[in-house]
Amino acid sequence: MLSLRLARGAHPLVQLRRLLVAAASGGTGFLLLCTLGYAMGHPDASGGSLLRLAWCAIPLAATVYFAVAVARSDPGTKPRSGLSAVGLGPARLTLLSAISTAIACTLGSMLALLFFLHLRGDLSGLPFDGAARDLLAASKPLPLAAALTLLTFVPVAASAASAVVLRPRPRKAGEAEEEQREPSPAPTGLPWGIALLAAGLAVETYASHARGDRGFPMPGGLGGSSSGVLAGWALTALGLALAGPALTYHCGRALQAVRPGAVRLLAGRVLQEEARRIGAPIGVLCAVASGTYAAVALYAGRGPDLGPLSTLGSVLVVGCAVATLATASVEARQARKDTHSALLRLGAPATMLRGAVALRAGALFALFVPLTWAVAELSAIPLLPR
């Protein structure tokens, strides 16, 4: 009940983010239900059903990642003075955040079930009633237990991930006594990120020359690449996500090099402080952009039949990546609100603060756009016809 009250009294922007989580959960749940419909209509093609279920793991991971980002930025579950006295300590607030995430995802899953039943023709009286009878095996009874099991994937995974990420951590001795204006230490994921990125490109190159590797078809009619190529892309995406925070941190360090002025010093310090918060979403977005570029290069001139389900999955992955970065940026802005106010009280001009924001954005653009283009080109070269 407290979770519902916190959700009802939240800011409209927070409500919008929760609705976006519900929409992403609904889209992923609908893809899972369509996989069930395919399995019902093709009982002899168990391999194809498993492949379609495996493809749903990508939008599922994107949805869970976005839900965790929204849970982290939710001001209703942030520790505040006085809450511990009424029994709302860090552990209880983490539980409330997980429950709020589960409620939003469950709402989306239930809407996906209603839309699925409507397209099957089980619910009548609305437009497009029974428009996908053949695709969703409307002639066969729906196994409700299997449908509900599939729909619990997103709420359970999102709430569990939120609880793990937001769990209270013990503070080190002396950490609460004083705060530094010195930047945080550099993230340590750069070597692992580079190694995974190189391994992913190597796996893609090797798999593209392998013979006898059948395609890994996407739902909706899109012809697939070999499973090795897809595994290589997954390693590349993970490498970019791991390297993103460290690259963002060193980008901030580069802004402060060679006798920096006030604007460059402020922009660099803020980037270093925000590296762990926005670096990983930037890396994920770069991975999605490079994968999209590689797919466009692969199918250029051949005009693949994407189909509605493949289009929905692609929109979910891209939309969740963009929304996650936007949510992380909002969270970072909230975290430095006190510093921004303190600088204004000290007489810092607003133009200097806006210049620091523009400089940070330009530095990230100058670093990650060429990196994304280079990774995309290297990923597309093994896939191009010879």
Side-chain angles (χ1 to χ4, degrees), residues 9-61:
H11 191 273
L13 185 59
V14 178
Q15 300 284 23
L16 176 61
R17 292 199 292 264
R18 290 170 177 165
L19 289 177
L20 290 176
V21 170
S25 175
T28 304
F30 182 74
L31 288 177
L32 292 170
L33 291 175
C34 289
T35 301
L36 176 62
Y38 179 87
M40 293 165 52
H42 304 80
D44 298 331
S46 58
S49 301
L50 289 177
L51 288 178
R52 283 164 171 77
L53 186 61
W55 267 112
C56 292
I58 299 178
L60 174 62

Side-chain angles (χ1 to χ4, degrees), residues 65 240 279-291 317-318 320-323 325 372:
Y65 191 56
L240 285 173
I282 292 177
V284 171
L285 183 59
C286 291
V288 172
S290 62
V317 173
V318 176
C320 286
V322 174
L325 179 57
T372 304

Side-chain angles (χ1 to χ4, degrees), residues 293-316:
Y293 179 90
V296 171
L298 175 62
Y299 292 104
R302 288 191 276 173
D305 182 16
L306 286 176
L309 299 184
S310 297
T311 302
L312 175 60
S314 302
V315 170
L316 277 174

Side-chain angles (χ1 to χ4, degrees), residues 143-216:
L144 188 59
L148 293 179
T149 300
L150 289 176
L151 289 177
T152 58
F153 283 0
V154 178
V156 171
S159 58
S162 299
V164 171
V165 171
L166 300 178
R167 70 188 186 280
R169 296 176 175 83
R171 309 190 71 172
K172 298 179 181 179
E175 184 179 356
E177 297 179 0
E178 60 178 1
E179 293 184 358
Q180 298 179 351
R181 282 303 292 156
E182 295 296 328
S184 302
T188 58
L190 185 58
W192 284 104
I194 294 176
L196 288 174
L197 180 61
L201 293 175
V203 169
E204 287 185 40
T205 304
Y206 176 80
S208 64
H209 292 85
R211 298 183 180 272
D213 193 2
R214 298 175 58 187
F216 196 58

Side-chain angles (χ1 to χ4, degrees), residues 54-145:
W55 267 112
C56 292
I58 299 178
L60 174 62
T63 301
V64 171
Y65 191 56
F66 176 47
V68 171
V70 171
R72 288 186 56 180
S73 64
D74 192 347
T77 56
K78 297 290 185 183
R80 292 189 294 271
S81 59
L83 291 181
S84 298
V86 295
L88 292 178
R92 185 66 61 86
L93 289 177
T94 300
L95 178 61
L96 291 178
S97 178
I99 294 175
S100 301
T101 303
I103 290 174
C105 293
T106 302
L107 174 62
S109 297
M110 292 300 101
L111 292 177
L113 178 60
L114 292 177
F115 188 62
F116 178 80
L117 295 175
H118 173 62
L119 291 181
R120 272 174 52 94
D122 297 333
L123 300 178
S124 58
L126 294 174
F128 306 104
D129 180 24
R133 291 179 181 271
D134 297 334
L135 178 64
L136 303 180
S139 60
K140 298 185 178 181
L142 177 68
L144 188 59

